[in-house]
Amino acid sequence: KNEVEQSPQNLTAQEGEFITINCSYSVGISALHWLQQHPGGGIVSLFMLSSGKKKHGRLIATINIQEKHSSLHITASHPRDSAVYICAVRYNNDMRFGAGTRLTVKP
Amino acid sequence: NAGVTQTPKFQVLKTGQSMTLQCAQDMNHEYMSWYRQDPGMGLRLIHYSVGAGITDQGEVPNGYNVSRSTTEDFPLRLLSAAPSQTSVYFCASSQPGTGVAFFGQGTRLTVV
């Protein structure tokens, strides 16, 4: 069983829809990261969370340490949000990654 | 532009050949790491370093060597390439505490 599970694996939405991607993990962590991988392959760090909630533009990330769960929300989705979103957890200096959620936003 | 520079972008090797993937950052980050990304497997940590002179193994270190002689550079060496090492490799750096990681553009390696 993967230590980091993401759902859904694939997600198709219409422009303007509210998007939620979920991440569950099974190990004690020091931090959780959300990454975005563009169709060209480049990876960008979106958030690092150790507790609570963070917001950047239309993106919101939350984490519940007790439940070992995090969510990434995208409000007013846009075709340019189409990418693979990856959840990663850090414990000590090691990192474990989810398999990613492929998001397609249609105009 | 400041960031993580990773070279080469593409490489084809024959089984048994050796090569070094280069990674350099100019942000004075202490933490640097190498990952491989395979279809259906996601990203996996190969090796990491928390500072010059300090390296450690990640989840999939076999077949790879690293060194960290300076803060800026963190090369990944394949001593004897195998087809199982065909993958896309990413280097990243970050500063402990800020959490923001910067990734290189990736190296697509094919071992034939």
Side-chain angles (χ1 to χ4, degrees):
Chain A
K1 185 180 187 297
N2 196 3
E3 290 145 313
V4 183
E5 298 282 351
Q6 279 185 244
S7 62
Q9 282 187 302
N10 294 284
L11 181 56
T12 299
Q14 289 297 130
E15 183 174 356
E17 285 185 358
F18 182 83
I19 304 293
T20 296
I21 299 170
N22 295 300
C23 175
S24 297
Y25 53 93
S26 58
V27 295
I29 67 170
S30 56
L32 182 142
H33 298 254
W34 281 103
L35 310 173
Q36 180 191 53
Q37 186 166 27
H38 295 286
I43 298 174
V44 175
S45 177
L46 298 175
F47 295 103
M48 185 202 75
L49 296 161
S50 54
S51 64
K53 176 181 174 178
K54 286 190 176 179
K55 184 176 189 292
H56 185 254
R58 294 180 295 106
L59 302 179
I60 303 166
T62 64
I63 188 168
N64 185 318
I65 297 293
Q66 287 73 29
E67 295 185 3
K68 293 186 167 63
H69 182 269
S70 175
S71 293
L72 176 68
H73 305 287
I74 305 175
T75 62
S77 60
H78 190 276
R80 64 175 175 266
D81 297 326
S82 297
V84 176
Y85 293 83
I86 301 168
C87 172
V89 298
R90 181 187 296 276
Y91 54 101
N92 299 322
N93 285 305
D94 206 349
M95 290 280 284
R96 292 288 186 266
F97 296 82
T101 295
R102 184 175 298 277
L103 172 65
T104 303
V105 182
K106 295 185 175 181
Chain B
N1 290 338
V4 178
T5 302
Q6 187 181 334
T7 57
K9 194 166 184 177
F10 300 95
Q11 183 72 50
V12 179
L13 288 179
K14 293 183 179 179
T15 298
Q17 284 186 317
S18 63
M19 80 159 295
T20 299
L21 278 64
Q22 301 291 344
C23 179
Q25 52 93 8
D26 58 2
M27 297 170 282
N28 204 32
H29 286 167
E30 294 177 5
Y31 185 91
M32 295 186 74
S33 49
W34 276 102
Y35 306 90
R36 60 178 289 172
Q37 186 176 37
D38 302 293
M41 298 290 294
L43 286 155
R44 290 181 291 171
L45 178 65
I46 303 171
H47 284 284
Y48 65 92
S49 169
V50 298
I54 306 169
T55 63
D56 208 343
Q57 297 179 349
E59 185 182 1
V60 288
N62 292 341
Y64 308 95
N65 282 348
V66 292
S67 60
R68 185 95 180 268
S69 56
T70 66
T71 300
E72 293 78 19
D73 299 297
F74 190 45
L76 178 72
R77 297 184 187 86
L78 285 71
L79 297 179
S80 180
S84 61
Q85 294 178 304
T86 293
S87 187
V88 180
Y89 292 84
F90 289 95
C91 175
S93 76
S94 63
Q95 195 69 336
T98 68
V100 177
F102 294 82
F103 284 80
Q105 62 182 358
T107 297
R108 185 173 295 274
L109 175 68
T110 303
V111 183
V112 298

